Amino acid sequence: DTDPTSALIAKAAAAAVEAAAVDVDVTAAANAAALAVHEAADRASQDAAQAAAKKNEQRRKRYREKNVDDETKNHPGNTDLHNHAANVSPHEHSTDEPAHKKGAHTHEDQLASRRLKDRQRYANMTPEQRQVYNSKRREQYHRQSEISRQKRRERERNRYHSLTNDSAKDRNERRAKLERERYQRLAPDELEAKNRKRRERAAQARQKKEAEKVGDDATEGEASVSCAAA
């Protein structure tokens, strides 16, 4: 009895050892696969970072070349600047200040230069040219202001129509309350000026409505006369 039992125990121990060896092999394989994936991800991130750095460096180089070309156009005789920019390495350019600060500073300089040129161009105009220029600027300003007001009214109208009845009622009450409070806070002279402007706008609206009515009546009369003549 002892020999078969010992044999069974020995077989069970051998099976357990083999199973443990298999688990160890599977765990080692899984760890190796995870390590390989991690290393591949690290290499991919490093490659992406290097590609982005190279792309940024090329962009900065093009930006510097464009600035040099603009400066050369503005100052044709200054060829030392172009030679210096061509011989200086990118690292020497970036040691003074960060790239984003340099870009912002350069953009501000370009805007200042553009404004200076506009002032010089305006100063060299004749009085007739200035009058035409100012007239066009005023027309453009009023046109843009009117377009902005129309868009704002359209947005407000769409927003108002999208409200429910209760929300529209609350909105109207709130706006009326704010308008009353603003009206009550006005000084006497401001109140008088506001009321005068409102009366003027109301009179202009009445005149416009009457003119449109007269025009419609005249059109209808001409149409009836033409029909009668036919």
Side-chain angles (χ1 to χ4, degrees), residues 127-176:
E128 292 79 8
Q129 292 175 342
R130 290 183 184 180
Q131 185 176 1
V132 173
Y133 176 79
N134 293 332
S135 177
K136 291 182 178 179
R137 290 290 297 274
R138 284 192 296 270
E139 291 177 359
Q140 182 181 6
Y141 174 77
H142 291 302
R143 183 170 58 254
Q144 291 178 351
S145 300
E146 182 62 26
I147 292 173
S148 299
R149 285 192 293 269
Q150 290 178 358
K151 291 182 178 179
R152 186 169 60 252
R153 286 194 295 267
E154 187 67 24
R155 289 194 301 269
E156 183 67 21
R157 189 179 301 110
N158 294 333
R159 191 181 302 113
Y160 180 77
H161 289 305
S162 64
L163 297 175
T164 61
N165 293 331
D166 295 337
S167 299
K169 184 177 179 180
D170 295 339
R171 178 253 192 194
N172 293 336
E173 292 178 354
R174 184 173 61 255
R175 287 170 66 93

Coordinates of all heavy atoms in Angstrom, one line a residue, residues 127-176:
P127 N -5.5 117.9 -49.8 CA -6.8 118.1 -49.1 C -8.0 117.4 -49.8 O -8.8 116.8 -49.1 CB -7.0 119.6 -49.1 CG -5.6 120.2 -49.1 CD -4.9 119.2 -50.0
E128 N -8.0 117.3 -51.1 CA -9.0 116.6 -51.8 C -8.9 115.1 -51.6 O -9.9 114.4 -51.4 CB -9.0 116.9 -53.3 CG -9.3 118.4 -53.7 CD -8.1 119.3 -53.5 OE1 -7.0 118.8 -53.1 OE2 -8.3 120.5 -53.5
Q129 N -7.7 114.6 -51.6 CA -7.5 113.2 -51.4 C -7.9 112.8 -49.9 O -8.5 111.7 -49.7 CB -6.1 112.8 -51.7 CG -5.7 112.8 -53.1 CD -4.2 112.6 -53.3 OE1 -3.4 112.6 -52.4 NE2 -3.8 112.2 -54.5
R130 N -7.6 113.7 -49.0 CA -8.0 113.4 -47.6 C -9.5 113.4 -47.5 O -10.1 112.6 -46.8 CB -7.4 114.5 -46.7 CG -5.9 114.4 -46.5 CD -5.4 115.4 -45.5 NE -3.9 115.4 -45.4 CZ -3.2 116.2 -44.6 NH1 -3.9 117.1 -43.9 NH2 -1.9 116.1 -44.6
Q131 N -10.2 114.3 -48.2 CA -11.6 114.4 -48.1 C -12.2 113.1 -48.6 O -13.2 112.5 -48.0 CB -12.1 115.6 -48.8 CG -13.6 115.8 -48.7 CD -14.1 117.1 -49.4 OE1 -13.3 117.8 -50.0 NE2 -15.4 117.4 -49.3
V132 N -11.7 112.6 -49.8 CA -12.3 111.4 -50.4 C -12.0 110.2 -49.4 O -12.8 109.3 -49.2 CB -11.7 111.2 -51.8 CG1 -12.1 109.8 -52.3 CG2 -12.1 112.3 -52.7
Y133 N -10.7 110.2 -48.9 CA -10.3 109.1 -48.0 C -11.2 109.0 -46.8 O -11.7 108.0 -46.4 CB -8.9 109.2 -47.7 CG -8.3 108.2 -46.7 CD1 -8.0 107.0 -47.1 CD2 -8.2 108.6 -45.3 CE1 -7.5 106.0 -46.2 CE2 -7.7 107.6 -44.4 CZ -7.3 106.4 -44.9 OH -6.9 105.5 -44.0
N134 N -11.4 110.2 -46.1 CA -12.2 110.2 -44.9 C -13.7 109.9 -45.2 O -14.3 109.2 -44.4 CB -12.1 111.6 -44.3 CG -10.7 111.9 -43.8 OD1 -10.0 111.0 -43.4 ND2 -10.4 113.2 -43.8
S135 N -14.2 110.3 -46.4 CA -15.5 110.0 -46.7 C -15.7 108.5 -46.9 O -16.7 107.9 -46.4 CB -15.9 110.7 -48.0 OG -17.2 110.3 -48.4
K136 N -14.8 107.8 -47.5 CA -14.8 106.4 -47.7 C -14.7 105.6 -46.3 O -15.4 104.7 -46.1 CB -13.7 105.9 -48.6 CG -13.9 106.3 -50.1 CD -12.8 105.7 -50.9 CE -13.0 106.1 -52.4 NZ -11.9 105.6 -53.3
R137 N -13.9 106.2 -45.5 CA -13.7 105.6 -44.2 C -15.0 105.7 -43.4 O -15.4 104.7 -42.7 CB -12.6 106.2 -43.4 CG -11.2 105.9 -43.9 CD -10.8 104.5 -43.6 NE -10.8 104.2 -42.2 CZ -9.7 104.4 -41.4 NH1 -8.6 104.8 -41.9 NH2 -9.8 104.1 -40.1
R138 N -15.7 106.9 -43.4 CA -16.9 107.0 -42.7 C -18.0 106.1 -43.3 O -18.8 105.5 -42.5 CB -17.4 108.5 -42.8 CG -16.6 109.4 -41.9 CD -17.3 110.8 -41.8 NE -17.3 111.4 -43.1 CZ -16.4 112.3 -43.5 NH1 -15.3 112.5 -42.8 NH2 -16.5 112.8 -44.7
E139 N -18.1 106.0 -44.6 CA -19.1 105.1 -45.2 C -18.8 103.7 -44.8 O -19.8 102.9 -44.4 CB -19.0 105.2 -46.7 CG -19.5 106.5 -47.3 CD -19.4 106.6 -48.8 OE1 -18.9 105.7 -49.4 OE2 -19.7 107.7 -49.3
Q140 N -17.6 103.3 -44.8 CA -17.2 101.9 -44.4 C -17.6 101.7 -42.9 O -18.1 100.6 -42.5 CB -15.8 101.6 -44.6 CG -15.3 100.2 -44.2 CD -13.8 100.0 -44.5 OE1 -13.1 100.9 -44.8 NE2 -13.4 98.8 -44.3
Y141 N -17.3 102.7 -42.1 CA -17.6 102.5 -40.6 C -19.1 102.4 -40.4 O -19.6 101.5 -39.7 CB -17.1 103.7 -39.9 CG -17.5 103.8 -38.4 CD1 -16.8 102.9 -37.5 CD2 -18.5 104.6 -38.0 CE1 -17.2 103.0 -36.2 CE2 -18.9 104.6 -36.6 CZ -18.2 103.8 -35.7 OH -18.6 103.8 -34.4
H142 N -19.9 103.3 -41.0 CA -21.4 103.2 -40.9 C -21.9 101.9 -41.4 O -22.9 101.3 -40.9 CB -22.0 104.4 -41.5 CG -21.7 105.7 -40.8 ND1 -22.0 105.9 -39.5 CD2 -21.1 106.8 -41.3 CE1 -21.7 107.1 -39.1 NE2 -21.1 107.7 -40.2
R143 N -21.4 101.5 -42.6 CA -21.9 100.2 -43.2 C -21.6 99.0 -42.3 O -22.5 98.2 -42.0 CB -21.2 100.0 -44.5 CG -21.8 98.8 -45.3 CD -21.3 98.7 -46.7 NE -19.8 98.8 -46.8 CZ -19.1 99.8 -47.2 NH1 -19.7 100.9 -47.5 NH2 -17.8 99.7 -47.3
Q144 N -20.4 99.0 -41.7 CA -20.1 97.9 -40.8 C -20.9 98.0 -39.5 O -21.3 96.9 -39.0 CB -18.6 97.9 -40.5 CG -17.7 97.5 -41.7 CD -16.2 97.6 -41.3 OE1 -15.9 98.1 -40.2 NE2 -15.3 97.2 -42.2
S145 N -21.1 99.2 -39.0 CA -21.9 99.3 -37.8 C -23.3 98.9 -38.1 O -24.0 98.2 -37.2 CB -21.9 100.8 -37.3 OG -20.6 101.2 -37.1
E146 N -23.9 99.2 -39.2 CA -25.3 98.8 -39.6 C -25.4 97.3 -39.7 O -26.3 96.7 -39.3 CB -25.7 99.6 -40.8 CG -27.1 99.2 -41.2 CD -28.1 99.7 -40.2 OE1 -27.8 100.6 -39.4 OE2 -29.2 99.1 -40.1
I147 N -24.4 96.7 -40.4 CA -24.4 95.3 -40.5 C -24.3 94.6 -39.2 O -25.0 93.6 -38.9 CB -23.2 94.8 -41.4 CG1 -23.4 95.3 -42.9 CG2 -23.0 93.3 -41.4 CD1 -22.2 95.1 -43.8
S148 N -23.4 95.1 -38.3 CA -23.3 94.5 -36.9 C -24.6 94.7 -36.2 O -25.1 93.7 -35.5 CB -22.2 95.2 -36.2 OG -21.0 95.1 -36.8
R149 N -25.3 95.8 -36.3 CA -26.6 96.0 -35.7 C -27.6 95.0 -36.2 O -28.4 94.5 -35.5 CB -27.1 97.5 -35.8 CG -26.3 98.4 -34.9 CD -27.0 99.8 -34.8 NE -27.0 100.4 -36.1 CZ -26.0 101.3 -36.5 NH1 -25.0 101.6 -35.6 NH2 -26.0 101.9 -37.7
Q150 N -27.7 94.9 -37.5 CA -28.6 93.9 -38.1 C -28.4 92.5 -37.6 O -29.3 91.8 -37.3 CB -28.5 94.0 -39.6 CG -29.0 95.3 -40.2 CD -28.9 95.4 -41.7 OE1 -28.3 94.4 -42.3 NE2 -29.3 96.5 -42.3
K151 N -27.1 92.1 -37.6 CA -26.8 90.8 -37.1 C -27.2 90.6 -35.7 O -27.7 89.5 -35.2 CB -25.3 90.4 -37.3 CG -24.9 90.3 -38.8 CD -23.4 90.0 -38.9 CE -23.0 89.8 -40.3 NZ -21.6 89.4 -40.5
R152 N -26.9 91.6 -34.9 CA -27.3 91.5 -33.5 C -28.8 91.5 -33.3 O -29.3 90.7 -32.5 CB -26.7 92.8 -32.7 CG -26.9 92.7 -31.2 CD -26.1 93.7 -30.5 NE -26.5 95.1 -30.9 CZ -25.7 95.9 -31.7 NH1 -24.5 95.4 -32.1 NH2 -26.1 97.1 -32.0
R153 N -29.6 92.3 -34.0 CA -31.0 92.2 -34.0 C -31.5 90.8 -34.4 O -32.5 90.3 -33.9 CB -31.6 93.3 -34.8 CG -31.5 94.7 -34.2 CD -32.4 95.7 -34.9 NE -32.0 95.9 -36.3 CZ -31.2 96.9 -36.7 NH1 -30.7 97.7 -35.8 NH2 -30.9 97.0 -38.0
E154 N -30.9 90.3 -35.5 CA -31.3 89.0 -36.0 C -31.1 87.9 -34.9 O -31.9 87.0 -34.7 CB -30.6 88.6 -37.2 CG -31.1 87.4 -37.9 CD -32.5 87.5 -38.5 OE1 -32.9 88.6 -38.7 OE2 -33.1 86.4 -38.6
R155 N -29.9 87.9 -34.3 CA -29.6 87.0 -33.2 C -30.6 87.1 -32.0 O -31.1 86.1 -31.5 CB -28.2 87.1 -32.7 CG -27.1 86.7 -33.7 CD -25.8 86.6 -33.0 NE -25.4 87.8 -32.4 CZ -24.6 88.7 -33.0 NH1 -24.2 88.5 -34.2 NH2 -24.3 89.8 -32.4
E156 N -30.9 88.3 -31.7 CA -31.8 88.6 -30.6 C -33.2 88.1 -30.9 O -33.9 87.5 -30.1 CB -31.8 90.1 -30.2 CG -32.7 90.4 -29.0 CD -32.2 89.9 -27.7 OE1 -31.0 89.5 -27.7 OE2 -33.0 89.7 -26.8
R157 N -33.6 88.3 -32.2 CA -34.9 87.9 -32.6 C -35.0 86.4 -32.6 O -36.0 85.8 -32.1 CB -35.2 88.4 -34.0 CG -36.7 88.2 -34.5 CD -36.9 88.8 -35.9 NE -36.6 90.2 -35.9 CZ -35.5 90.8 -36.5 NH1 -34.7 90.0 -37.2 NH2 -35.4 92.1 -36.5
N158 N -34.0 85.7 -33.1 CA -34.0 84.2 -33.1 C -34.0 83.7 -31.7 O -34.7 82.7 -31.4 CB -32.8 83.7 -33.9 CG -32.9 84.0 -35.4 OD1 -34.0 84.2 -35.9 ND2 -31.7 84.1 -36.0
R159 N -33.2 84.3 -30.8 CA -33.2 83.9 -29.4 C -34.5 84.0 -28.8 O -35.0 83.2 -28.0 CB -32.1 84.6 -28.7 CG -31.8 84.0 -27.3 CD -30.7 84.8 -26.6 NE -29.5 84.9 -27.4 CZ -29.0 86.0 -27.9 NH1 -29.6 87.2 -27.8 NH2 -27.8 86.0 -28.6
Y160 N -35.2 85.2 -29.1 CA -36.5 85.4 -28.5 C -37.5 84.4 -28.9 O -38.3 83.9 -28.2 CB -36.9 86.9 -28.8 CG -38.2 87.3 -28.2 CD1 -38.3 87.6 -26.8 CD2 -39.4 87.3 -29.0 CE1 -39.6 87.9 -26.3 CE2 -40.6 87.7 -28.4 CZ -40.7 88.0 -27.1 OH -41.9 88.3 -26.5
H161 N -37.6 84.1 -30.2 CA -38.6 83.2 -30.8 C -38.3 81.8 -30.3 O -39.2 81.0 -30.4 CB -38.6 83.3 -32.3 CG -39.2 84.6 -32.8 ND1 -40.4 85.0 -32.5 CD2 -38.6 85.5 -33.7 CE1 -40.7 86.2 -33.1 NE2 -39.6 86.5 -33.8
S162 N -37.1 81.5 -29.9 CA -36.8 80.1 -29.4 C -37.3 79.9 -28.0 O -37.2 78.8 -27.5 CB -35.3 79.8 -29.6 OG -34.6 80.7 -28.7
L163 N -37.7 81.0 -27.3 CA -38.1 80.9 -25.9 C -39.6 80.3 -25.8 O -40.4 80.5 -26.8 CB -38.0 82.2 -25.2 CG -36.6 82.8 -25.1 CD1 -36.7 84.2 -24.5 CD2 -35.7 82.0 -24.2
T164 N -39.9 79.7 -24.7 CA -41.3 79.4 -24.4 C -42.0 80.6 -24.0 O -41.5 81.7 -23.8 CB -41.3 78.3 -23.4 OG1 -40.7 78.8 -22.2 CG2 -40.5 77.0 -23.8
N165 N -43.3 80.4 -23.8 CA -44.2 81.6 -23.4 C -43.8 82.1 -22.1 O -43.7 83.3 -21.9 CB -45.7 81.1 -23.5 CG -46.2 80.8 -24.9 OD1 -45.6 81.4 -25.8 ND2 -47.1 79.9 -25.0
D166 N -43.6 81.2 -21.1 CA -43.2 81.6 -19.8 C -41.8 82.3 -19.8 O -41.6 83.3 -19.1 CB -43.2 80.4 -18.8 CG -44.6 79.9 -18.6 OD1 -45.6 80.6 -18.8 OD2 -44.7 78.7 -18.3
S167 N -40.9 81.7 -20.5 CA -39.6 82.3 -20.6 C -39.6 83.6 -21.2 O -38.9 84.6 -20.8 CB -38.6 81.3 -21.3 OG -38.5 80.1 -20.7
A168 N -40.4 83.8 -22.3 CA -40.5 85.1 -23.0 C -41.1 86.1 -22.1 O -40.7 87.3 -22.0 CB -41.3 84.9 -24.3
K169 N -42.1 85.7 -21.3 CA -42.7 86.6 -20.4 C -41.8 87.1 -19.3 O -41.7 88.3 -19.0 CB -44.0 86.0 -19.7 CG -44.7 86.9 -18.8 CD -46.0 86.2 -18.3 CE -46.8 87.1 -17.3 NZ -48.0 86.4 -16.8
D170 N -41.0 86.2 -18.7 CA -40.0 86.5 -17.7 C -38.9 87.4 -18.3 O -38.5 88.4 -17.6 CB -39.4 85.2 -17.1 CG -40.4 84.4 -16.4 OD1 -41.4 84.9 -16.0 OD2 -40.1 83.2 -16.2
R171 N -38.5 87.1 -19.5 CA -37.5 87.9 -20.1 C -38.0 89.4 -20.4 O -37.3 90.3 -20.1 CB -37.1 87.3 -21.5 CG -36.1 88.0 -22.3 CD -36.7 88.6 -23.5 NE -35.7 89.1 -24.4 CZ -36.1 89.9 -25.4 NH1 -37.3 90.4 -25.6 NH2 -35.1 90.3 -26.3
N172 N -39.2 89.5 -20.8 CA -39.8 90.8 -21.1 C -39.9 91.6 -19.8 O -39.6 92.8 -19.7 CB -41.1 90.7 -21.8 CG -41.0 90.2 -23.2 OD1 -39.9 90.3 -23.8 ND2 -42.1 89.6 -23.7
E173 N -40.4 91.0 -18.7 CA -40.5 91.6 -17.4 C -39.1 92.1 -16.9 O -39.0 93.2 -16.4 CB -41.2 90.7 -16.4 CG -42.7 90.5 -16.8 CD -43.3 89.5 -15.8 OE1 -42.5 88.9 -14.9 OE2 -44.5 89.3 -15.9
R174 N -38.1 91.2 -17.1 CA -36.8 91.5 -16.6 C -36.2 92.7 -17.3 O -35.6 93.6 -16.8 CB -35.9 90.3 -16.7 CG -34.5 90.5 -16.1 CD -33.7 89.2 -16.1 NE -33.5 88.6 -17.4 CZ -34.2 87.6 -17.9 NH1 -35.1 87.0 -17.2 NH2 -34.0 87.2 -19.1
R175 N -36.4 92.7 -18.7 CA -35.8 93.8 -19.5 C -36.6 95.1 -19.2 O -36.0 96.2 -19.1 CB -35.9 93.4 -21.0 CG -34.9 92.4 -21.4 CD -35.3 91.9 -22.8 NE -35.1 93.0 -23.8 CZ -34.0 93.2 -24.5 NH1 -32.9 92.4 -24.2 NH2 -33.9 94.2 -25.3
A176 N -37.9 95.0 -19.0 CA -38.6 96.2 -18.6 C -38.2 96.8 -17.3 O -38.1 98.0 -17.1 CB -40.1 95.9 -18.6

